[in-house]
Amino acid sequence: MAAASRDLQGLLAGLDPTADVAQRHIWLINIFDWLRGDRASPQAAMGRVQLLLDAIEARPELRERLRAWWRAFTQSVDLTTLLADYGFAPRTAFASELGERLRRKILPGTPETTDASDLFRMVLPGVFDAGWIALLDETQLARIGALLANVAIDDDGAPHWRHTVMDAVTYCASQVVATGFSPELRLRMSPELVAARPFHALMADLDGLREQMFAQPRDEAALQAAFVVFRDRLDACRTVTSSVYTHLEDNGISVGLVFRLRQLRERVLRIRELLDCLMSPSPAPSVARLIGRLVLAGGERNSIRALIASNSSMLAAKVTERSAETGEHYITRDRASYAQMVKKAAGGGALTSITVLLKFGIYALGLSAFWSGLAAGLMYAASFVAIQLLHLTLATKQPAMTAPALAARLRDIKSDDAVARFVDEVANLVRSQVAAVLGNVLVVVPAMAAVALLIQLATGRPLLDAAHAAATLNSLSLAGPTALYAAFTGILLFSASIIAGWTENAFVLHRLDSAMRYNPRIGAFLGAARARRWADFMRTHISGFASNISLGLMLGLLPAFAGFFGLGLDVRHVTLSAGQIAAAAASTGPAVLQQPALWWAVAAIPVIGALNVSVSFYFAFRLALRAHSVSLNDRARIRRAIWARWRSRPVSFFLPA
């Protein structure tokens, strides 16, 4: 502590109110660096605050120099913008905001600034500062307030800091009003709540509060009445904007709109914190809380991780709300729906045998990697769309769609009954996946073998020659990188569901079904009745089209792109892989049963299926959990309940009751 005292004496000797802006700000930065010390603990920083206050109060001339320094500081730096705008992102675009945060991290800041926000970022840069500020007791805060009290008095006799805080309230309120009047939000608000016109009267109520705040003499009763009126009006504005969320759930989610709504909510909270400073009889604790909040807000505002987390949560909500609707169709809950799922999966497996045949035909053409991948991708897409339109099922596409539907059950998961119902849904979902995978695989194998034998009978030669058949079996061997490729395919399946959710959300958000139904040009071209049918058809199938087409193109093209960069990635889809194994075995003949390569490939099928399903489901479920903000405690309760069901009733995960 003696060394700290010597360091402090040197810092206080450098206090010069007549220095230029840069030197004054450097002194402030150095003082706060000294207060933080080695950042061992917030309590140690508090001890240094006590030492600083004792040193200043013991020397009257130092107190006067500090007040002169503070007077010069407040005259050169606009603190209003700090209080009103610090921590808020002015950009709604992710790329531009990311670029701005990267610029601040890479490029050094300068203390030669009159921007209080930039200076605040250099003086109080981290969460540690919020910790020790929160520990300051009322006695210390009162001593700090006494050192800086009455430094600046305006013409009306009120301290200058009150005008600064009130101006910050005005800036924030004007932003709230501007956001509330923006057409993107105004047209989505509840008409009943908008009829009260809260945004129209907010600034008038604020003018009334300002008038009472600086009236001479002050009427405390009138001030409290004006404060209550403004506070209630502010709450009404927030209630009106909250009604937009209902509209978004029903009509699609926009990341830009959600960003505006979150910013407005934070503005309202900032106004309340500023009003606490103004209305409190002892404002020092409120000011300390506000500064601590600014430190935390600044840390989040500068964090690239926070930006990505915020945007990903908005994107999660945007995607999962749509995918949840689609995923409901893939969950079976009784014997009848279970049997129907098996039939649809069997049909999907039979059609996939034609897909495998076409794939071998495309590769037989000997095209370059890109054109071969593009042709395969288009063929996959056409095959998947055909499966969709025929109301059949491709098993591995289900998990990424059903995960959001399952996570939607987590909105109210506090009671034990709700957890039990959720576990029932998990069992229903796993059962559905098992039925779909078995239906696909158990049909595609005999169907593909039959197709290969028919081609051999018709042409007199096998579908695949011996070299290609052996290469096919070896490429699908469990002893190779098949498991890695299967997990990679699970990521592609998840990505296709993201594209599907995004596309359907955009279709709903921009009301394209209504445009197809009522647009005069479309109606004149198709006719009114046909336009309505097409609108209903696209509204029903747009998600499936987006998912199937994107998945097909990714399965075909990504291996070609990976090969261009030397990555050597490939895809392993359980139904397609089972069909390829069947084609290779049928082309080789009965002798294949004696080849280890066949059995290594057969052993890979359950691994491919498990990884396709589990990886895509894992990512989709995690995304949905983020969208619904499920806490870690609730996640732990769910895991315990699922394991308990597995131990007590494992059969329920495979067969319906």
Side-chain angles (χ1 to χ4, degrees):
M1 187 61 70
S5 179
R6 288 194 299 272
D7 293 341
L8 177 59
Q9 295 303 322
L11 285 172
L12 294 179
L15 176 59
D16 183 4
T18 63
D20 58 26
V21 169
Q23 293 302 318
R24 289 202 306 270
H25 294 172
I26 290 173
W27 180 86
L28 182 64
I29 294 171
N30 291 337
I31 278 290
F32 276 86
D33 282 341
W34 178 84
L35 289 175
R36 280 185 288 271
D38 58 2
R39 306 193 185 199
S41 70
Q43 288 76 12
M46 279 186 59
R48 289 173 174 257
V49 170
Q50 186 74 26
L51 190 62
L52 174 63
L53 293 175
D54 292 341
I56 295 175
E57 290 174 346
R59 297 165 57 184
E61 59 85 17
L62 185 57
R63 287 202 306 270
E64 294 305 318
R65 269 199 293 149
L66 176 63
R67 289 177 176 176
W69 183 95
W70 179 249
R71 188 180 300 108
F73 176 80
T74 55
Q75 290 173 353
S76 63
V77 175
D78 184 8
L79 296 175
T80 303
T81 56
L82 168 69
L83 299 176
D85 297 324
Y86 189 70
F88 294 105
R91 300 164 184 82
T92 59
F94 174 80
S96 61
E97 181 62 22
L98 177 61
E100 176 63 19
R101 297 191 185 196
L102 286 173
R103 181 192 67 79
R104 285 200 299 266
K105 283 186 174 294
I106 296 172
L107 300 179
T110 174
E112 189 179 14
T113 179
T114 58
D115 187 336
S117 297
D118 287 343
L119 182 61
F120 189 88
R121 196 174 294 114
M122 288 184 280
V123 174
L124 296 167
V127 177
F128 178 80
D129 295 301
W132 66 262
I133 290 173
L135 294 178
L136 296 176
D137 56 36
E138 292 192 12
T139 302
Q140 291 172 318
L141 293 172
R143 293 172 66 186
I144 295 171
L147 287 174
L148 304 178
N150 302 320
V151 170
I153 302 295
D154 286 351
D155 294 338
D156 57 6
H160 180 71
W161 71 268
R162 288 188 176 273
H163 285 277
T164 300
V165 175
M166 181 56 77
D167 287 343
V169 172
T170 304
Y171 292 171
C172 286
S174 65
Q175 292 286 344
V176 170
V177 172
T179 303
F181 282 154
S182 63
E184 295 88 353
L185 295 183
R186 191 175 68 249
L187 295 175
R188 291 171 170 82
M189 294 176 182
S190 167
E192 295 80 9
L193 297 175
V194 170
R197 301 165 67 88
F199 291 102
H200 295 73
L202 184 65
M203 298 307 295
D205 293 338
L206 179 58
D207 289 339
L209 177 60
R210 176 188 287 274
E211 181 179 349
Q212 294 299 326
M213 178 69 65
F214 300 112
Q216 294 295 334
R218 175 187 290 186
D219 186 340
E220 290 295 336
L223 175 61
Q224 287 296 327
F227 167 72
V228 170
V229 169
F230 177 73
R231 182 196 62 194
D232 292 345
R233 190 79 65 187
L234 191 65
D235 289 341
C237 292
R238 182 177 175 182
T239 302
V240 172
T241 53
S242 297
S243 66
V244 176
Y245 283 106
T246 302
H247 184 282
L248 294 179
E249 291 176 1
D250 296 337
N251 299 279
I253 297 174
S254 166
V255 171
L257 291 180
V258 174
F259 174 84
R260 286 171 175 259
L261 292 170
R262 291 184 178 182
Q263 288 280 87
L264 187 142
R265 176 182 177 275
E266 293 299 322
R267 291 275 184 190
V268 171
L269 295 177
R270 179 67 59 82
I271 291 173
R272 290 179 175 175
E273 292 168 343
L274 294 170
L275 290 176
D276 283 342
C277 298
L278 288 172
M279 301 300 297
S280 175
S282 55
S286 299
V287 172
R289 284 194 298 271
L290 175 61
I291 293 174
R293 285 280 301 150
L294 290 177
V295 173
L296 296 176
E300 186 172 348
R301 172 74 172 83
N302 296 326
S303 171
I304 294 176
R305 179 181 297 179
L307 175 66
I308 294 174
S310 175
N311 276 267
S312 63
S313 67
M314 288 189 283
L315 286 171
K318 181 176 182 176
V319 170
T320 55
E321 291 294 336
R322 299 295 117 201
S323 297
E325 295 182 11
T326 305
E328 285 289 344
H329 304 302
Y330 292 115
I331 301 178
T332 64
R333 297 183 174 86
D334 52 40
R335 287 180 177 271
S337 59
Y338 183 86
Q340 188 68 18
M341 176 63 71
V342 174
K343 292 178 182 178
K344 290 182 177 181
L351 190 56
T352 304
S353 65
I354 307 300
T355 307
V356 175
L357 178 64
L358 293 175
K359 175 185 177 181
F360 285 130
I362 290 172
Y363 288 144
L365 296 176
L367 302 174
S368 66
F370 171 78
W371 294 109
S372 177
L374 178 61
L378 292 173
M379 182 271 297
Y380 286 146
S383 175
F384 297 158
V385 168
I387 290 174
Q388 172 192 351
L389 295 180
L390 292 173
H391 303 289
L392 304 177
T393 294
L394 189 65
T396 52
K397 284 183 73 283
Q398 293 176 283
M401 293 295 185
T402 51
L406 187 65
R409 303 288 193 279
L410 299 176
R411 291 175 178 171
D412 183 17
I413 201 71
K414 300 303 180 186
S415 67
D416 292 338
D417 290 340
V419 174
R421 289 193 298 269
F422 178 79
V423 174
D424 289 338
E425 284 295 279
V426 172
N428 294 335
L429 175 61
V430 173
R431 222 169 29 234
S432 304
Q433 306 306 320
V434 172
V437 171
L438 290 178
N440 275 179
V441 172
L442 294 180
V443 173
V444 73
V445 170
M448 190 65 240
V451 169
L453 292 175
L454 287 174
I455 290 177
Q456 184 169 354
L457 290 175
T459 63
R461 57 184 180 182
L463 175 63
L464 301 175
D465 58 36
H468 284 92
T472 299
L473 293 177
N474 289 328
S475 68
L476 296 170
S477 173
L478 183 60
T482 293
L484 173 64
Y485 295 159
F488 174 65
T489 306
I491 297 175
L492 298 187
L493 292 162
F494 163 69
S495 302
S497 75
I498 294 295
I499 295 173
W502 182 88
T503 303
E504 184 177 8
N505 182 77
F507 188 88
V508 173
L509 179 67
H510 299 295
R511 306 186 64 195
L512 295 183
D513 55 337
S514 179
M516 295 177 66
R517 186 177 288 111
Y518 298 115
N519 185 276
R521 293 184 179 180
I522 296 177
F525 179 75
L526 295 177
R530 188 178 298 170
R532 286 195 297 271
R533 289 197 301 271
W534 273 100
D536 293 337
F537 176 81
M538 290 302 296
R539 176 65 182 86
T540 303
H541 294 92
I542 185 64
S543 175
F545 287 156
S547 174
N548 289 318
I549 293 171
S550 62
L551 177 62
L553 292 175
M554 285 189 292
L555 290 178
L557 283 171
L558 281 180
F561 280 109
F564 177 79
F565 292 102
L567 298 178
L569 280 176
D570 206 343
V571 294
R572 293 291 183 267
H573 186 281
V574 61
T575 311
L576 295 172
S577 297
Q580 293 176 65
I581 294 173
S587 299
T588 305
V592 75
L593 298 176
Q594 300 176 3
Q595 297 181 8
L598 171 67
W599 303 111
W600 275 107
V602 170
I605 292 300
V607 176
I608 294 173
L611 287 173
N612 285 170
V613 170
S614 60
V615 170
S616 60
F617 180 83
Y618 171 78
F619 283 105
F621 191 63
R622 286 294 301 267
L623 187 73
L625 290 178
R626 176 181 290 275
H628 297 298
S629 301
V630 179
S631 68
L632 295 177
N633 289 335
D634 287 336
R635 296 184 193 187
R637 291 174 59 223
I638 292 167
R639 285 195 296 270
R640 289 194 297 269
I642 292 174
W643 281 116
R645 172 67 64 87
W646 176 259
R647 290 192 299 269
S648 62
R649 294 164 53 192
V651 178
S652 65
F653 288 92
F654 301 99
L655 295 173

